[in-house]
Structure formats: C-alpha cells, structure tokens
Amino acid sequence: MTTASAPKAPASDVATQIMHAMRTMSVAPIPRNYTLFYEVCLGTNPALTRDLALLGSRPTQEELDDLCSAHLGLGQAQVVDNAHTELLSQLEAILILLRQEQDSLETYNRLLGETAERINSKSNFSADLVRSAVALLTQATGETIASGERTVEGVARRSQEMDQVRRELDEYKRIANTDSLTHLSNRRAFDEQLAALYDDPMKLPLTALVLADIDNFKKVNDSYGHPVGDKILASVAAVLRSSVRKEVFVARTGGEEFALIVEGNTAEEVMSLCERVRRTLEIRPFRHSRTGVDYGPITVSMGFAMATQAVDPGDLYVKSDTALYCAKNAGRNRTMIFEDGMRKDYAGKGWLIYKK
C-alpha cells in the first residue's frame, strides 16, 4: 500500500489487469511472460516499463525474452534447461566410464577363467606355462587396477562438475530471489516463504507476519526524484536487516513495501521488535552527503498478525495488511497488531503471485 487513502487492487484485479495487458499485446500467457508483466505492474522498475512500451503493441517472444534477460536476469526456463543439459551430459559420461569399467572387469574375469583352465589341464602343465600365466595375469591385473583408478578419477571429476552445476543453480536461485536495489529477498522469495509457513503447525504460536510501508514515500519521489527515493529505500532496507536477528526473513515486496516473517517470538516481543525498528528510522538522518539537503523525516508504519490469528497464509497476509492499513489510517509512524473488529475498506493486494 502506498497511502491510507489509496485503495489497493484485489488479487483478482491485479491478475485480471496483467492478463488483459498480455491479451491486448497478443503476448502468450506463459509463466515467464506473466513474471515480466507482473514486474511492470509493481512499478518498481521504470526502465523495464519504458523498454516494454518501446516494443509496441505486438512484441515478439524473442523481444520479450531479451527484455527478461536484460532486466530480470537470464530466464529461469533457460537456466534450468542449460543445467539439465549439462547434468545429462555429465551423467552420460559417468555411464560410459562405468560401462568401460564393466567391460574391463569382464575381460579380466574371462582371462582368469581361461588361465585357470590351462593350469588345471594336466596335459598342458609345464613350468613355462605357469610362468607365462603368472606374467599374463600380472599384466592384466595391473591394467585392470589402472583402469579402475582411471574410472574412479573420471567419476570423481564428473561428480565435481555436476556439483558445480548445482552450485550455479543455487546461485541463480539466490539472485532470482533477491531484490537488486535493496539486496533483500524479493516478492518471489516472500511468496515462497509465506506459502510454506503453515507446514509446521508447532511453530505457529510464535510466528508473525509483519508488513511495513514507508510513510508518504510518493512525496519523496515527487520532491527529490527517483534516484533519491532509491537511496532511501536502500537505507530503510539496511536498517530493517540490521535491526533484527539474521534468522528473521526480511523482504522488499514491492515499491516502498517490506515484509518480515518473525519466528520464535511472542506477540509482545514482535511488537517490541517493530517499535525498535520504527524508532531507529524515526531518528535516523536522511541527508545528501555533499549538499546537506535533508530528505527526512522518513518514517514507517507497521502492522502484523500472529500466525495463530489466521487459518492460512492468505488470511495471515490479509490480517497483517489490515493492521498496517489501520496504522496508516491512525496517523502513520506507528505499529499495530491485528485485532478482531478492525475494519478494512479495500480488498488488499494479492500474494503468492509466484506460487506454482
């Protein structure tokens, strides 16, 4: 939410707007296109919005994919496809090595059998035969051992290469789930984290969802420009991250909105945490380092609900958002916990945009 007086679009309206825009531009309704248009809908990347507009009313899929690559990083499908191809290649190489080792062992076993037959044959028994058999077996054993060692080395090397692919995928996921401006988790990561919140009912009594919103942030952008606004967003994000323990999940969920998932704390402790963050921002100077221009005061409103107050992640989000709305409506720069009877005059923004 941006201000107390600006109603939010319901989840269904956001999805409807996105699908309508995609249909209007004849864009295929596939996941990566939806992600692109959702980022435009958030309005947090003006360059992306501008470049999409420059494509005109009938962009090609290649143009859209190039836009995704430029603004959102390499497309998820392409990254996964590349990793899948690489893993298949490494597995095939390992299978080839194992087949070669199997062939080597079968040859060695056959040689052992043939040599044993010759030695056991009384008609062919001689000292020369024994010496030649021993020499042959020694050579074969050495070659088999060497082959086995090469196989072990080959499998180990291929395994390391597969592990590198895994690490690259992990790094891609980290980047894909990180907000480039604030370096906090992004909306995609938040949706995933929130969706899994009710998987462990034992944790719910001490789990809270906190939503925070910078007060009157539009005035900052209008007065000082978006570059200053971006610096303030990054500063607020740094305060949020440094003011809570590292186990607390902190995300920028869009625009000037942030979310914290706090586990292991009572409602009173969560309120204390929120107030500590709010007061830290309230007294923090926001000035231009060279000109001394004061951009402040910068304050935040915060609202939260405990997981036990809701029946599922969606309900928890709505109740936390309701508390935030009430904090805004009561004058801003304050924290409120959800209570039964709180009124909410709008449907609220959607969540789980990225949930599959």
Side-chain angles (χ1 to χ4, degrees):
M1 74 190 284
T2 53
T3 65
S5 59
K8 293 183 177 182
S12 58
D13 286 353
V14 172
T16 299
Q17 290 169 10
I18 293 173
M19 296 307 296
H20 175 72
M22 291 171 66
R23 282 195 300 270
T24 300
M25 298 176 70
S26 297
V27 171
I30 56 180
R32 63 181 185 272
N33 289 342
Y34 186 91
T35 298
L36 179 68
F37 276 74
Y38 176 69
E39 294 293 338
V40 171
C41 183
L42 282 182
T44 57
N45 192 333
L48 171 60
T49 303
R50 181 194 64 240
D51 290 349
L52 179 61
L54 290 175
L55 294 182
S57 59
R58 294 291 187 274
T60 66
Q61 188 60 54
E62 183 178 0
E63 290 174 330
L64 293 172
D65 289 342
D66 288 343
L67 207 59
C68 279
S69 179
H71 291 278
L72 306 179
L74 191 62
Q76 182 177 5
Q78 184 177 348
V79 170
V80 174
D81 285 347
N82 290 347
H84 183 252
T85 300
E86 179 64 18
L87 288 174
L88 285 179
S89 174
Q90 299 299 341
L91 285 172
E92 181 61 28
I94 289 176
L95 287 174
I96 290 173
L97 287 171
L98 293 177
R99 290 190 193 106
Q100 291 173 345
E101 177 65 9
Q102 183 182 19
D103 291 342
S104 176
L105 290 174
E106 288 176 352
T107 300
Y108 183 61
N109 288 334
R110 186 169 60 253
L111 179 60
L112 286 176
E114 291 174 355
T115 303
E117 287 180 5
R118 290 178 186 178
I119 292 175
N120 288 330
S121 175
K122 294 180 180 180
S123 61
N124 293 330
F125 184 80
S126 69
D128 289 339
L129 176 61
V130 173
R131 279 194 297 271
S132 64
V134 170
L136 183 61
L137 287 176
T138 299
Q139 180 182 355
T141 300
E143 291 175 351
T144 301
I145 291 174
S147 174
E149 290 175 347
R150 288 194 299 272
T151 299
V152 170
E153 292 173 357
V155 171
R157 184 176 67 255
R158 298 294 181 178
S159 297
Q160 289 175 352
E161 292 171 356
M162 291 172 67
D163 189 56
Q164 177 62 28
V165 174
R166 179 193 60 78
R167 288 196 297 269
E168 290 174 358
L169 279 174
D170 288 344
E171 177 64 10
Y172 168 72
K173 182 176 181 181
R174 185 191 67 78
I175 294 173
N177 285 346
T178 300
D179 177 64
S180 59
L181 175 63
T182 63
H183 303 296
L184 297 177
S185 296
N186 60 14
R187 181 57 183 262
R188 180 183 290 105
F190 168 71
D191 284 351
E192 292 177 357
Q193 194 81 5
L194 184 60
L197 209 57
Y198 283 71
D199 291 349
D200 186 355
M202 298 297 292
K203 292 183 178 180
L204 297 183
L206 297 177
T207 297
L209 171 61
V210 180
L211 299 181
D213 187 285
I214 301 177
D215 297 323
N216 300 313
F217 189 68
K218 185 176 184 301
K219 291 182 180 179
V220 174
N221 279 332
D222 291 345
S223 300
Y224 304 108
H226 286 280
V228 170
D230 287 349
K231 290 182 179 179
I232 290 174
L233 283 170
S235 296
V236 171
V239 169
L240 285 171
R241 182 66 276 175
S242 63
S243 298
V244 299
R245 65 185 190 277
K246 63 181 182 180
E247 293 83 6
V248 175
F249 177 86
V250 185
R252 180 190 178 202
T253 54
E256 65 272 28
E257 304 163 14
F258 300 88
L260 298 86
I261 294 178
V262 185
E263 297 181 282
N265 291 97
T266 64
E268 292 76 15
E269 291 168 338
V270 175
M271 176 63 78
S272 177
L273 178 152
C274 291
E275 282 296 282
R276 183 174 67 250
V277 171
R278 187 188 63 78
R279 286 193 295 268
T280 299
L281 285 167
E282 185 180 36
I283 63 176
R284 179 188 175 94
F286 288 87
R287 297 189 181 92
H288 193 287
S289 58
R290 283 192 302 102
T291 65
V293 173
D294 190 350
Y295 304 127
I298 301 298
T299 63
V300 297
S301 299
M302 307 181 80
F304 72 94
M306 301 301 293
T308 49
Q309 293 179 288
V311 296
D312 56 35
D315 188 33
L316 178 61
Y317 185 92
V318 167
K319 288 178 176 175
S320 298
D321 204 29
T322 298
L324 173 59
Y325 174 82
C326 290
K328 288 280 190 182
N329 211 33
R332 301 183 176 86
N333 191 23
R334 66 194 65 217
T335 304
M336 298 189 72
I337 183 174
F338 176 79
E339 297 177 356
D340 291 335
M342 278 185 169
R343 290 194 58 195
K344 190 177 184 192
D345 300 324
Y346 59 94
K349 274 191 177 176
W351 72 289
L352 292 185
I353 294 296
Y354 290 102
K355 188 173 186 297
K356 297 178 181 178

